[in-house]
Amino acid sequence: MHPAASVILFTTASGVGYGILSLAPLLVAFGILPDEDRWLGGALMLPALGLVTVGLLSSTFHLGHPERAWRALSQWKSSWLSREGVMAILSYPPTLAYTYAWVSLGSVDGPWVWAGFATVLTALGMMFTTGMIYRSLKPVPAWATDWTVTGYLTLGPLTGLAVIIAIASGFGLHPVRFQAVAIVFVLAAAIAKNAYWARLQAAWDDHAQNAGAAIASPGNTVRSIEWPHTEANYVLKEMGYGVARKHAEKLRRITRNLLLVAPAIVFCLLPSLLPLPYLIWAVIPGAVLTLAGVAIERWLFFAEAKHVVSLYYGVE
Amino acid sequence: MTCLPDETTRKLGLVIDLDTCVGCQACVTNCKEWNTGGHMAPLTDTNPYGAEADGVWFNRVHSYEVTTPEGSSRSLHFPRSCLHCEDAACVTVCPTGASYKRTSDGIVLVDEGKCIGCKLCSWACPYGAREYDVFEGVMKKCTLCVDRIYNENLDQEDRVPACVLTCPTGARHYGDLNDPQSDVSRLVRKRGGRDLMQEMGYKPTNQYLPQREKTNVASSVNQSPALAPLDDTYGASGLLGWVDRMLERMD
């Protein structure tokens, strides 16, 4: 599948943003983040709001008619893309309320706790609906698995947590406070991504082995001898992307190292070994590496997913 | 609404005979000709006479070599267009309501005025039937010539899709696949019509008739004099044959 730059930007930026929003109120509720520090609240919530807003706007850049984007809110009964749009709108009121309470009041007690609860739920809802858009596409066998959704639900919080730890360390909070949470999300993301990759090839082979079924000749071997067009058309440009597939193994290794190994060392291991002043110089680059890793992962997610229409063009 | 109708009154669609299709591209050409002025007009082309020509087409004909498990092979020409599926995921994924399936006849259409050009419908189609118009910023697709089949300005016999009308070998048939007594339904029963990629579960309306069993003519073909190399004495007999034989003997 062709990886549109705007979609990669959207899933990376909003993934980090909703990751922060899905965790920060919980970390406050469990006393891991202090809500009396208004500046910390601003330093976490405002970038998160900025990232999700930039992400949502960038996702409209690749539309043919961005001015009609409001129409996408109408078909939530059948369309996961529409549900994602509705969820994006729903997430703003509680998130703005919670941000107001933390930054202006310096306290998220009482009814504001419910705003925090709704912030977490809508942020998780965003990651879930985004994942379901891809999960529901049967013609892309790599995506048509629950591991796609699990990937979105774990990578968002993992990258959000990396940013939370980096920012909180700047406010004098020792990263060891987040160590247990970091272990949970690094492990969960590692399971989700490796399970996703483990079935990817077999899922494709299931369809490719019976390419004859695509031209009403099941059981027969099919060799494409002439295309309907001499140049690439829309279908090939959109659904036939091949550059990253060629280097899929290398890119997976880079993704594993940046997205999983780097956070495991920086956020799970180092906090037990180093005092805060030194750790700042580890967690900030650690967060940068994690974000670079997730951007490559999003690119690879599109680029290594094959669409069954490519069977018509002789892709094996 | 992009929810699919529970059932449609009729199921209008095509039956394409892969045994008869010769891959002449006439259906492709007439489809483009009609539809570039029809319901989804225009079918824009990018740089049509230059390098990297591209454009919107509703119908594409591929050619394949198909080999049976026994090792017998032959060519197959395959027209690929919208199958107007019963379970059309291209409709349900549409966030705006631009894509819809008609309850009256099952035709899948796009309301260009509502399309935001997100392209998700084209991802949801296993058959690559939808093509995006980069100039108009909307998705386009086969309309089953909805502007021909109900067109009272045309003669009755012309009220069929342009691809069916033009097919010189009679490989394309059009009718109501919901009516068991229609010509197309009978054809499907008689020839064992097939769903493409049945495992996808889209329940395509259009049916494809597989190639008939191949008659083994290999032995007779091999003996044909036309396949032997032509030498300089071809057809020489009588006096000329004698002269030829004599001259062969000379040093």
Side-chain angles (χ1 to χ4, degrees), chain A residues 65 68 75 78-79 221 223 234 237 307 312-313, chain B residues 2 54 64-65 67 92-93 115 122-123 136:
Chain A
H65 282 278
R68 298 179 188 161
Q75 302 303 308
S78 76
S79 165
T221 321
R223 190 167 66 93
Y234 167 73
K237 288 172 189 166
H307 194 286
Y312 287 109
Y313 289 89
Chain B
T2 52
D54 192 1
Y64 300 97
E65 178 195 58
T67 310
T92 54
V93 300
C115 178
S122 67
W123 296 7
E136 308 246 316

mmCIF file with all atom_site columns, all heavy atoms in Angstrom, chain A residues 65 68 75 78-79 221 223 234 237 307 312-313, chain B residues 2 54 64-65 67 92-93 115 122-123 136:
data_model
loop_
_atom_site.group_PDB
_atom_site.id
_atom_site.type_symbol
_atom_site.label_atom_id
_atom_site.label_alt_id
_atom_site.label_comp_id
_atom_site.label_asym_id
_atom_site.label_entity_id
_atom_site.label_seq_id
_atom_site.pdbx_PDB_ins_code
_atom_site.Cartn_x
_atom_site.Cartn_y
_atom_site.Cartn_z
_atom_site.occupancy
_atom_site.B_iso_or_equiv
_atom_site.pdbx_formal_charge
_atom_site.auth_seq_id
_atom_site.auth_comp_id
_atom_site.auth_asym_id
_atom_site.auth_atom_id
_atom_site.pdbx_PDB_model_num
ATOM 1   N N   . HIS A 1 65  ? -11.092 16.675  -1.511  1.00 0.00 ? 65  HIS A N   1
ATOM 2   C CA  . HIS A 1 65  ? -11.949 17.816  -1.182  1.00 0.00 ? 65  HIS A CA  1
ATOM 3   C C   . HIS A 1 65  ? -11.970 18.042  0.330   1.00 0.00 ? 65  HIS A C   1
ATOM 4   O O   . HIS A 1 65  ? -12.948 17.712  1.002   1.00 0.00 ? 65  HIS A O   1
ATOM 5   C CB  . HIS A 1 65  ? -13.382 17.571  -1.689  1.00 0.00 ? 65  HIS A CB  1
ATOM 6   C CG  . HIS A 1 65  ? -13.537 17.784  -3.149  1.00 0.00 ? 65  HIS A CG  1
ATOM 7   N ND1 . HIS A 1 65  ? -13.711 19.034  -3.700  1.00 0.00 ? 65  HIS A ND1 1
ATOM 8   C CD2 . HIS A 1 65  ? -13.524 16.919  -4.185  1.00 0.00 ? 65  HIS A CD2 1
ATOM 9   C CE1 . HIS A 1 65  ? -13.806 18.918  -5.019  1.00 0.00 ? 65  HIS A CE1 1
ATOM 10  N NE2 . HIS A 1 65  ? -13.696 17.643  -5.337  1.00 0.00 ? 65  HIS A NE2 1
ATOM 11  N N   . ARG A 1 68  ? -14.962 19.439  2.243   1.00 0.00 ? 68  ARG A N   1
ATOM 12  C CA  . ARG A 1 68  ? -16.139 18.627  2.533   1.00 0.00 ? 68  ARG A CA  1
ATOM 13  C C   . ARG A 1 68  ? -15.887 17.669  3.701   1.00 0.00 ? 68  ARG A C   1
ATOM 14  O O   . ARG A 1 68  ? -16.692 16.768  3.936   1.00 0.00 ? 68  ARG A O   1
ATOM 15  C CB  . ARG A 1 68  ? -16.508 17.784  1.311   1.00 0.00 ? 68  ARG A CB  1
ATOM 16  C CG  . ARG A 1 68  ? -16.881 18.565  0.072   1.00 0.00 ? 68  ARG A CG  1
ATOM 17  C CD  . ARG A 1 68  ? -17.199 17.586  -1.067  1.00 0.00 ? 68  ARG A CD  1
ATOM 18  N NE  . ARG A 1 68  ? -17.384 18.275  -2.335  1.00 0.00 ? 68  ARG A NE  1
ATOM 19  C CZ  . ARG A 1 68  ? -17.302 17.676  -3.510  1.00 0.00 ? 68  ARG A CZ  1
ATOM 20  N NH1 . ARG A 1 68  ? -17.033 16.381  -3.584  1.00 0.00 ? 68  ARG A NH1 1
ATOM 21  N NH2 . ARG A 1 68  ? -17.479 18.348  -4.630  1.00 0.00 ? 68  ARG A NH2 1
ATOM 22  N N   . GLN A 1 75  ? -21.458 9.057   8.560   1.00 0.00 ? 75  GLN A N   1
ATOM 23  C CA  . GLN A 1 75  ? -21.775 7.634   8.325   1.00 0.00 ? 75  GLN A CA  1
ATOM 24  C C   . GLN A 1 75  ? -21.223 6.719   9.420   1.00 0.00 ? 75  GLN A C   1
ATOM 25  O O   . GLN A 1 75  ? -20.754 5.610   9.141   1.00 0.00 ? 75  GLN A O   1
ATOM 26  C CB  . GLN A 1 75  ? -21.244 7.221   6.947   1.00 0.00 ? 75  GLN A CB  1
ATOM 27  C CG  . GLN A 1 75  ? -21.794 8.052   5.817   1.00 0.00 ? 75  GLN A CG  1
ATOM 28  C CD  . GLN A 1 75  ? -23.307 8.028   5.752   1.00 0.00 ? 75  GLN A CD  1
ATOM 29  O OE1 . GLN A 1 75  ? -23.918 6.962   5.745   1.00 0.00 ? 75  GLN A OE1 1
ATOM 30  N NE2 . GLN A 1 75  ? -23.927 9.209   5.741   1.00 0.00 ? 75  GLN A NE2 1
ATOM 31  N N   . SER A 1 78  ? -21.868 2.768   9.697   1.00 0.00 ? 78  SER A N   1
ATOM 32  C CA  . SER A 1 78  ? -21.214 1.696   8.939   1.00 0.00 ? 78  SER A CA  1
ATOM 33  C C   . SER A 1 78  ? -19.707 1.867   8.818   1.00 0.00 ? 78  SER A C   1
ATOM 34  O O   . SER A 1 78  ? -18.993 0.902   8.626   1.00 0.00 ? 78  SER A O   1
ATOM 35  C CB  . SER A 1 78  ? -21.818 1.597   7.532   1.00 0.00 ? 78  SER A CB  1
ATOM 36  O OG  . SER A 1 78  ? -21.334 2.639   6.708   1.00 0.00 ? 78  SER A OG  1
ATOM 37  N N   . SER A 1 79  ? -19.207 3.089   8.934   1.00 0.00 ? 79  SER A N   1
ATOM 38  C CA  . SER A 1 79  ? -17.821 3.354   8.542   1.00 0.00 ? 79  SER A CA  1
ATOM 39  C C   . SER A 1 79  ? -16.919 3.628   9.750   1.00 0.00 ? 79  SER A C   1
ATOM 40  O O   . SER A 1 79  ? -17.190 4.541   10.545  1.00 0.00 ? 79  SER A O   1
ATOM 41  C CB  . SER A 1 79  ? -17.784 4.550   7.597   1.00 0.00 ? 79  SER A CB  1
ATOM 42  O OG  . SER A 1 79  ? -16.483 5.050   7.472   1.00 0.00 ? 79  SER A OG  1
ATOM 43  N N   . THR A 1 221 ? -2.454  -22.500 -12.296 1.00 0.00 ? 221 THR A N   1
ATOM 44  C CA  . THR A 1 221 ? -1.358  -21.546 -12.140 1.00 0.00 ? 221 THR A CA  1
ATOM 45  C C   . THR A 1 221 ? -1.575  -20.416 -13.143 1.00 0.00 ? 221 THR A C   1
ATOM 46  O O   . THR A 1 221 ? -1.972  -20.670 -14.274 1.00 0.00 ? 221 THR A O   1
ATOM 47  C CB  . THR A 1 221 ? -0.007  -22.226 -12.447 1.00 0.00 ? 221 THR A CB  1
ATOM 48  O OG1 . THR A 1 221 ? -0.046  -23.548 -11.917 1.00 0.00 ? 221 THR A OG1 1
ATOM 49  C CG2 . THR A 1 221 ? 1.136   -21.474 -11.837 1.00 0.00 ? 221 THR A CG2 1
ATOM 50  N N   . ARG A 1 223 ? -0.063  -16.868 -14.982 1.00 0.00 ? 223 ARG A N   1
ATOM 51  C CA  . ARG A 1 223 ? 1.079   -15.989 -15.255 1.00 0.00 ? 223 ARG A CA  1
ATOM 52  C C   . ARG A 1 223 ? 0.570   -14.798 -16.043 1.00 0.00 ? 223 ARG A C   1
ATOM 53  O O   . ARG A 1 223 ? -0.069  -14.962 -17.082 1.00 0.00 ? 223 ARG A O   1
ATOM 54  C CB  . ARG A 1 223 ? 2.134   -16.741 -16.073 1.00 0.00 ? 223 ARG A CB  1
ATOM 55  C CG  . ARG A 1 223 ? 3.464   -16.014 -16.204 1.00 0.00 ? 223 ARG A CG  1
ATOM 56  C CD  . ARG A 1 223 ? 4.531   -16.959 -16.741 1.00 0.00 ? 223 ARG A CD  1
ATOM 57  N NE  . ARG A 1 223 ? 4.233   -17.363 -18.116 1.00 0.00 ? 223 ARG A NE  1
ATOM 58  C CZ  . ARG A 1 223 ? 4.713   -16.733 -19.196 1.00 0.00 ? 223 ARG A CZ  1
ATOM 59  N NH1 . ARG A 1 223 ? 5.484   -15.678 -19.059 1.00 0.00 ? 223 ARG A NH1 1
ATOM 60  N NH2 . ARG A 1 223 ? 4.411   -17.153 -20.418 1.00 0.00 ? 223 ARG A NH2 1
ATOM 61  N N   . TYR A 1 234 ? -3.755  4.353   -11.477 1.00 0.00 ? 234 TYR A N   1
ATOM 62  C CA  . TYR A 1 234 ? -4.086  4.667   -10.088 1.00 0.00 ? 234 TYR A CA  1
ATOM 63  C C   . TYR A 1 234 ? -3.957  3.457   -9.180  1.00 0.00 ? 234 TYR A C   1
ATOM 64  O O   . TYR A 1 234 ? -3.375  3.527   -8.081  1.00 0.00 ? 234 TYR A O   1
ATOM 65  C CB  . TYR A 1 234 ? -5.514  5.230   -9.997  1.00 0.00 ? 234 TYR A CB  1
ATOM 66  C CG  . TYR A 1 234 ? -6.023  5.267   -8.574  1.00 0.00 ? 234 TYR A CG  1
ATOM 67  C CD1 . TYR A 1 234 ? -5.523  6.216   -7.679  1.00 0.00 ? 234 TYR A CD1 1
ATOM 68  C CD2 . TYR A 1 234 ? -6.946  4.337   -8.111  1.00 0.00 ? 234 TYR A CD2 1
ATOM 69  C CE1 . TYR A 1 234 ? -5.939  6.231   -6.364  1.00 0.00 ? 234 TYR A CE1 1
ATOM 70  C CE2 . TYR A 1 234 ? -7.371  4.350   -6.802  1.00 0.00 ? 234 TYR A CE2 1
ATOM 71  C CZ  . TYR A 1 234 ? -6.874  5.296   -5.924  1.00 0.00 ? 234 TYR A CZ  1
ATOM 72  O OH  . TYR A 1 234 ? -7.267  5.290   -4.625  1.00 0.00 ? 234 TYR A OH  1
ATOM 73  N N   . LYS A 1 237 ? -0.337  2.655   -8.508  1.00 0.00 ? 237 LYS A N   1
ATOM 74  C CA  . LYS A 1 237 ? 0.326   3.697   -7.712  1.00 0.00 ? 237 LYS A CA  1
ATOM 75  C C   . LYS A 1 237 ? -0.140  3.648   -6.261  1.00 0.00 ? 237 LYS A C   1
ATOM 76  O O   . LYS A 1 237 ? 0.642   3.863   -5.335  1.00 0.00 ? 237 LYS A O   1
ATOM 77  C CB  . LYS A 1 237 ? 0.030   5.079   -8.298  1.00 0.00 ? 237 LYS A CB  1
ATOM 78  C CG  . LYS A 1 237 ? 0.761   5.351   -9.603  1.00 0.00 ? 237 LYS A CG  1
ATOM 79  C CD  . LYS A 1 237 ? 0.274   6.650   -10.227 1.00 0.00 ? 237 LYS A CD  1
ATOM 80  C CE  . LYS A 1 237 ? 0.836   6.828   -11.631 1.00 0.00 ? 237 LYS A CE  1
ATOM 81  N NZ  . LYS A 1 237 ? 0.149   7.876   -12.381 1.00 0.00 ? 237 LYS A NZ  1
ATOM 82  N N   . HIS A 1 307 ? -1.912  -5.519  -1.261  1.00 0.00 ? 307 HIS A N   1
ATOM 83  C CA  . HIS A 1 307 ? -3.348  -5.536  -1.550  1.00 0.00 ? 307 HIS A CA  1
ATOM 84  C C   . HIS A 1 307 ? -3.616  -6.672  -2.543  1.00 0.00 ? 307 HIS A C   1
ATOM 85  O O   . HIS A 1 307 ? -2.838  -6.869  -3.474  1.00 0.00 ? 307 HIS A O   1
ATOM 86  C CB  . HIS A 1 307 ? -3.737  -4.190  -2.155  1.00 0.00 ? 307 HIS A CB  1
ATOM 87  C CG  . HIS A 1 307 ? -5.211  -3.944  -2.201  1.00 0.00 ? 307 HIS A CG  1
ATOM 88  N ND1 . HIS A 1 307 ? -6.023  -4.573  -3.108  1.00 0.00 ? 307 HIS A ND1 1
ATOM 89  C CD2 . HIS A 1 307 ? -6.018  -3.150  -1.454  1.00 0.00 ? 307 HIS A CD2 1
ATOM 90  C CE1 . HIS A 1 307 ? -7.281  -4.170  -2.917  1.00 0.00 ? 307 HIS A CE1 1
ATOM 91  N NE2 . HIS A 1 307 ? -7.296  -3.306  -1.909  1.00 0.00 ? 307 HIS A NE2 1
ATOM 92  N N   . TYR A 1 312 ? -3.723  -9.455  -9.719  1.00 0.00 ? 312 TYR A N   1
ATOM 93  C CA  . TYR A 1 312 ? -4.069  -9.281  -11.126 1.00 0.00 ? 312 TYR A CA  1
ATOM 94  C C   . TYR A 1 312 ? -2.863  -8.833  -11.943 1.00 0.00 ? 312 TYR A C   1
ATOM 95  O O   . TYR A 1 312 ? -2.848  -8.944  -13.154 1.00 0.00 ? 312 TYR A O   1
ATOM 96  C CB  . TYR A 1 312 ? -5.208  -8.259  -11.286 1.00 0.00 ? 312 TYR A CB  1
ATOM 97  C CG  . TYR A 1 312 ? -6.546  -8.806  -10.853 1.00 0.00 ? 312 TYR A CG  1
ATOM 98  C CD1 . TYR A 1 312 ? -7.174  -8.361  -9.696  1.00 0.00 ? 312 TYR A CD1 1
ATOM 99  C CD2 . TYR A 1 312 ? -7.175  -9.789  -11.604 1.00 0.00 ? 312 TYR A CD2 1
ATOM 100 C CE1 . TYR A 1 312 ? -8.401  -8.883  -9.295  1.00 0.00 ? 312 TYR A CE1 1
ATOM 101 C CE2 . TYR A 1 312 ? -8.388  -10.309 -11.216 1.00 0.00 ? 312 TYR A CE2 1
ATOM 102 C CZ  . TYR A 1 312 ? -8.998  -9.856  -10.066 1.00 0.00 ? 312 TYR A CZ  1
ATOM 103 O OH  . TYR A 1 312 ? -10.190 -10.377 -9.690  1.00 0.00 ? 312 TYR A OH  1
ATOM 104 N N   . TYR A 1 313 ? -1.868  -8.269  -11.253 1.00 0.00 ? 313 TYR A N   1
ATOM 105 C CA  . TYR A 1 313 ? -0.689  -7.769  -11.948 1.00 0.00 ? 313 TYR A CA  1
ATOM 106 C C   . TYR A 1 313 ? 0.496   -8.713  -11.805 1.00 0.00 ? 313 TYR A C   1
ATOM 107 O O   . TYR A 1 313 ? 1.621   -8.337  -12.072 1.00 0.00 ? 313 TYR A O   1
ATOM 108 C CB  . TYR A 1 313 ? -0.337  -6.369  -11.442 1.00 0.00 ? 313 TYR A CB  1
ATOM 109 C CG  . TYR A 1 313 ? -1.356  -5.346  -11.901 1.00 0.00 ? 313 TYR A CG  1
ATOM 110 C CD1 . TYR A 1 313 ? -2.485  -5.068  -11.133 1.00 0.00 ? 313 TYR A CD1 1
ATOM 111 C CD2 . TYR A 1 313 ? -1.206  -4.708  -13.125 1.00 0.00 ? 313 TYR A CD2 1
ATOM 112 C CE1 . TYR A 1 313 ? -3.435  -4.156  -11.565 1.00 0.00 ? 313 TYR A CE1 1
ATOM 113 C CE2 . TYR A 1 313 ? -2.141  -3.792  -13.565 1.00 0.00 ? 313 TYR A CE2 1
ATOM 114 C CZ  . TYR A 1 313 ? -3.252  -3.527  -12.785 1.00 0.00 ? 313 TYR A CZ  1
ATOM 115 O OH  . TYR A 1 313 ? -4.178  -2.622  -13.226 1.00 0.00 ? 313 TYR A OH  1
ATOM 116 N N   . THR B 2 2   ? -24.562 4.774   4.096   1.00 0.00 ? 2   THR B N   1
ATOM 117 C CA  . THR B 2 2   ? -23.679 3.788   3.488   1.00 0.00 ? 2   THR B CA  1
ATOM 118 C C   . THR B 2 2   ? -23.926 2.392   4.033   1.00 0.00 ? 2   THR B C   1
ATOM 119 O O   . THR B 2 2   ? -23.149 1.489   3.778   1.00 0.00 ? 2   THR B O   1
ATOM 120 C CB  . THR B 2 2   ? -22.213 4.182   3.721   1.00 0.00 ? 2   THR B CB  1
ATOM 121 O OG1 . THR B 2 2   ? -22.038 4.416   5.105   1.00 0.00 ? 2   THR B OG1 1
ATOM 122 C CG2 . THR B 2 2   ? -21.843 5.401   2.928   1.00 0.00 ? 2   THR B CG2 1
ATOM 123 N N   . ASP B 2 54  ? -1.735  8.368   -18.085 1.00 0.00 ? 54  ASP B N   1
ATOM 124 C CA  . ASP B 2 54  ? -2.560  7.762   -17.026 1.00 0.00 ? 54  ASP B CA  1
ATOM 125 C C   . ASP B 2 54  ? -3.970  8.312   -17.204 1.00 0.00 ? 54  ASP B C   1
ATOM 126 O O   . ASP B 2 54  ? -4.173  9.297   -17.919 1.00 0.00 ? 54  ASP B O   1
ATOM 127 C CB  . ASP B 2 54  ? -1.996  8.143   -15.649 1.00 0.00 ? 54  ASP B CB  1
ATOM 128 C CG  . ASP B 2 54  ? -2.613  7.330   -14.522 1.00 0.00 ? 54  ASP B CG  1
ATOM 129 O OD1 . ASP B 2 54  ? -3.476  6.455   -14.794 1.00 0.00 ? 54  ASP B OD1 1
ATOM 130 O OD2 . ASP B 2 54  ? -2.254  7.580   -13.354 1.00 0.00 ? 54  ASP B OD2 1
ATOM 131 N N   . TYR B 2 64  ? -3.551  -13.462 -19.538 1.00 0.00 ? 64  TYR B N   1
ATOM 132 C CA  . TYR B 2 64  ? -2.795  -14.404 -18.712 1.00 0.00 ? 64  TYR B CA  1
ATOM 133 C C   . TYR B 2 64  ? -2.494  -15.672 -19.479 1.00 0.00 ? 64  TYR B C   1
ATOM 134 O O   . TYR B 2 64  ? -3.183  -16.024 -20.441 1.00 0.00 ? 64  TYR B O   1
ATOM 135 C CB  . TYR B 2 64  ? -3.601  -14.794 -17.462 1.00 0.00 ? 64  TYR B CB  1
ATOM 136 C CG  . TYR B 2 64  ? -3.946  -13.631 -16.577 1.00 0.00 ? 64  TYR B CG  1
ATOM 137 C CD1 . TYR B 2 64  ? -5.193  -13.013 -16.664 1.00 0.00 ? 64  TYR B CD1 1
ATOM 138 C CD2 . TYR B 2 64  ? -3.020  -13.143 -15.663 1.00 0.00 ? 64  TYR B CD2 1
ATOM 139 C CE1 . TYR B 2 64  ? -5.510  -11.942 -15.859 1.00 0.00 ? 64  TYR B CE1 1
ATOM 140 C CE2 . TYR B 2 64  ? -3.334  -12.066 -14.848 1.00 0.00 ? 64  TYR B CE2 1
ATOM 141 C CZ  . TYR B 2 64  ? -4.576  -11.463 -14.954 1.00 0.00 ? 64  TYR B CZ  1
ATOM 142 O OH  . TYR B 2 64  ? -4.883  -10.400 -14.158 1.00 0.00 ? 64  TYR B OH  1
ATOM 143 N N   . GLU B 2 65  ? -1.478  -16.362 -19.000 1.00 0.00 ? 65  GLU B N   1
ATOM 144 C CA  . GLU B 2 65  ? -1.292  -17.750 -19.388 1.00 0.00 ? 65  GLU B CA  1
ATOM 145 C C   . GLU B 2 65  ? -1.734  -18.583 -18.187 1.00 0.00 ? 65  GLU B C   1
ATOM 146 O O   . GLU B 2 65  ? -1.227  -18.401 -17.083 1.00 0.00 ? 65  GLU B O   1
ATOM 147 C CB  . GLU B 2 65  ? 0.182   -18.026 -19.695 1.00 0.00 ? 65  GLU B CB  1
ATOM 148 C CG  . GLU B 2 65  ? 0.438   -19.467 -20.070 1.00 0.00 ? 65  GLU B CG  1
ATOM 149 C CD  . GLU B 2 65  ? 1.921   -19.810 -20.025 1.00 0.00 ? 65  GLU B CD  1
ATOM 150 O OE1 . GLU B 2 65  ? 2.545   -19.650 -18.955 1.00 0.00 ? 65  GLU B OE1 1
ATOM 151 O OE2 . GLU B 2 65  ? 2.451   -20.236 -21.036 1.00 0.00 ? 65  GLU B OE2 1
ATOM 152 N N   . THR B 2 67  ? -2.242  -22.312 -16.546 1.00 0.00 ? 67  THR B N   1
ATOM 153 C CA  . THR B 2 67  ? -1.766  -23.687 -16.656 1.00 0.00 ? 67  THR B CA  1
ATOM 154 C C   . THR B 2 67  ? -2.489  -24.567 -15.652 1.00 0.00 ? 67  THR B C   1
ATOM 155 O O   . THR B 2 67  ? -2.537  -24.245 -14.463 1.00 0.00 ? 67  THR B O   1
ATOM 156 C CB  . THR B 2 67  ? -0.239  -23.746 -16.401 1.00 0.00 ? 67  THR B CB  1
ATOM 157 O OG1 . THR B 2 67  ? 0.391   -22.764 -17.213 1.00 0.00 ? 67  THR B OG1 1
ATOM 158 C CG2 . THR B 2 67  ? 0.309   -25.126 -16.729 1.00 0.00 ? 67  THR B CG2 1
ATOM 159 N N   . THR B 2 92  ? -19.719 0.462   2.582   1.00 0.00 ? 92  THR B N   1
ATOM 160 C CA  . THR B 2 92  ? -19.813 0.600   4.052   1.00 0.00 ? 92  THR B CA  1
ATOM 161 C C   . THR B 2 92  ? -18.638 1.389   4.638   1.00 0.00 ? 92  THR B C   1
ATOM 162 O O   . THR B 2 92  ? -18.792 2.021   5.672   1.00 0.00 ? 92  THR B O   1
ATOM 163 C CB  . THR B 2 92  ? -19.909 -0.774  4.728   1.00 0.00 ? 92  THR B CB  1
ATOM 164 O OG1 . THR B 2 92  ? -18.814 -1.584  4.289   1.00 0.00 ? 92  THR B OG1 1
ATOM 165 C CG2 . THR B 2 92  ? -21.200 -1.462  4.396   1.00 0.00 ? 92  THR B CG2 1
ATOM 166 N N   . VAL B 2 93  ? -17.447 1.347   3.991   1.00 0.00 ? 93  VAL B N   1
ATOM 167 C CA  . VAL B 2 93  ? -16.313 2.092   4.563   1.00 0.00 ? 93  VAL B CA  1
ATOM 168 C C   . VAL B 2 93  ? -16.418 3.593   4.289   1.00 0.00 ? 93  VAL B C   1
ATOM 169 O O   . VAL B 2 93  ? -15.743 4.387   4.934   1.00 0.00 ? 93  VAL B O   1
ATOM 170 C CB  . VAL B 2 93  ? -14.942 1.596   4.047   1.00 0.00 ? 93  VAL B CB  1
ATOM 171 C CG1 . VAL B 2 93  ? -14.726 0.138   4.384   1.00 0.00 ? 93  VAL B CG1 1
ATOM 172 C CG2 . VAL B 2 93  ? -14.777 1.862   2.564   1.00 0.00 ? 93  VAL B CG2 1
ATOM 173 N N   . CYS B 2 115 ? -18.376 13.161  -2.283  1.00 0.00 ? 115 CYS B N   1
ATOM 174 C CA  . CYS B 2 115 ? -17.101 12.461  -2.128  1.00 0.00 ? 115 CYS B CA  1
ATOM 175 C C   . CYS B 2 115 ? -16.016 13.438  -1.681  1.00 0.00 ? 115 CYS B C   1
ATOM 176 O O   . CYS B 2 115 ? -15.854 14.508  -2.266  1.00 0.00 ? 115 CYS B O   1
ATOM 177 C CB  . CYS B 2 115 ? -16.696 11.808  -3.452  1.00 0.00 ? 115 CYS B CB  1
ATOM 178 S SG  . CYS B 2 115 ? -15.103 10.969  -3.387  1.00 0.00 ? 115 CYS B SG  1
ATOM 179 N N   . SER B 2 122 ? -11.448 2.604   -2.452  1.00 0.00 ? 122 SER B N   1
ATOM 180 C CA  . SER B 2 122 ? -10.624 1.874   -3.420  1.00 0.00 ? 122 SER B CA  1
ATOM 181 C C   . SER B 2 122 ? -9.748  0.849   -2.697  1.00 0.00 ? 122 SER B C   1
ATOM 182 O O   . SER B 2 122 ? -9.419  -0.189  -3.250  1.00 0.00 ? 122 SER B O   1
ATOM 183 C CB  . SER B 2 122 ? -9.760  2.835   -4.237  1.00 0.00 ? 122 SER B CB  1
ATOM 184 O OG  . SER B 2 122 ? -8.785  3.460   -3.426  1.00 0.00 ? 122 SER B OG  1
ATOM 185 N N   . TRP B 2 123 ? -9.386  1.137   -1.449  1.00 0.00 ? 123 TRP B N   1
ATOM 186 C CA  . TRP B 2 123 ? -8.630  0.162   -0.661  1.00 0.00 ? 123 TRP B CA  1
ATOM 187 C C   . TRP B 2 123 ? -9.512  -1.030  -0.291  1.00 0.00 ? 123 TRP B C   1
ATOM 188 O O   . TRP B 2 123 ? -9.049  -2.147  -0.163  1.00 0.00 ? 123 TRP B O   1
ATOM 189 C CB  . TRP B 2 123 ? -8.112  0.772   0.639   1.00 0.00 ? 123 TRP B CB  1
ATOM 190 C CG  . TRP B 2 123 ? -7.124  1.879   0.470   1.00 0.00 ? 123 TRP B CG  1
ATOM 191 C CD1 . TRP B 2 123 ? -6.734  2.482   -0.699  1.00 0.00 ? 123 TRP B CD1 1
ATOM 192 C CD2 . TRP B 2 123 ? -6.381  2.516   1.519   1.00 0.00 ? 123 TRP B CD2 1
ATOM 193 N NE1 . TRP B 2 123 ? -5.805  3.459   -0.436  1.00 0.00 ? 123 TRP B NE1 1
ATOM 194 C CE2 . TRP B 2 123 ? -5.577  3.505   0.911   1.00 0.00 ? 123 TRP B CE2 1
ATOM 195 C CE3 . TRP B 2 123 ? -6.309  2.351   2.895   1.00 0.00 ? 123 TRP B CE3 1
ATOM 196 C CZ2 . TRP B 2 123 ? -4.708  4.313   1.644   1.00 0.00 ? 123 TRP B CZ2 1
ATOM 197 C CZ3 . TRP B 2 123 ? -5.453  3.152   3.633   1.00 0.00 ? 123 TRP B CZ3 1
ATOM 198 C CH2 . TRP B 2 123 ? -4.661  4.129   3.009   1.00 0.00 ? 123 TRP B CH2 1
ATOM 199 N N   . GLU B 2 136 ? -10.432 16.003  -10.516 1.00 0.00 ? 136 GLU B N   1
ATOM 200 C CA  . GLU B 2 136 ? -11.699 16.340  -9.860  1.00 0.00 ? 136 GLU B CA  1
ATOM 201 C C   . GLU B 2 136 ? -11.631 16.098  -8.353  1.00 0.00 ? 136 GLU B C   1
ATOM 202 O O   . GLU B 2 136 ? -12.502 16.553  -7.610  1.00 0.00 ? 136 GLU B O   1
ATOM 203 C CB  . GLU B 2 136 ? -12.822 15.500  -10.445 1.00 0.00 ? 136 GLU B CB  1
ATOM 204 C CG  . GLU B 2 136 ? -12.874 15.570  -11.964 1.00 0.00 ? 136 GLU B CG  1
ATOM 205 C CD  . GLU B 2 136 ? -14.124 16.256  -12.454 1.00 0.00 ? 136 GLU B CD  1
ATOM 206 O OE1 . GLU B 2 136 ? -15.205 15.972  -11.925 1.00 0.00 ? 136 GLU B OE1 1
ATOM 207 O OE2 . GLU B 2 136 ? -14.002 17.095  -13.359 1.00 0.00 ? 136 GLU B OE2 1
#
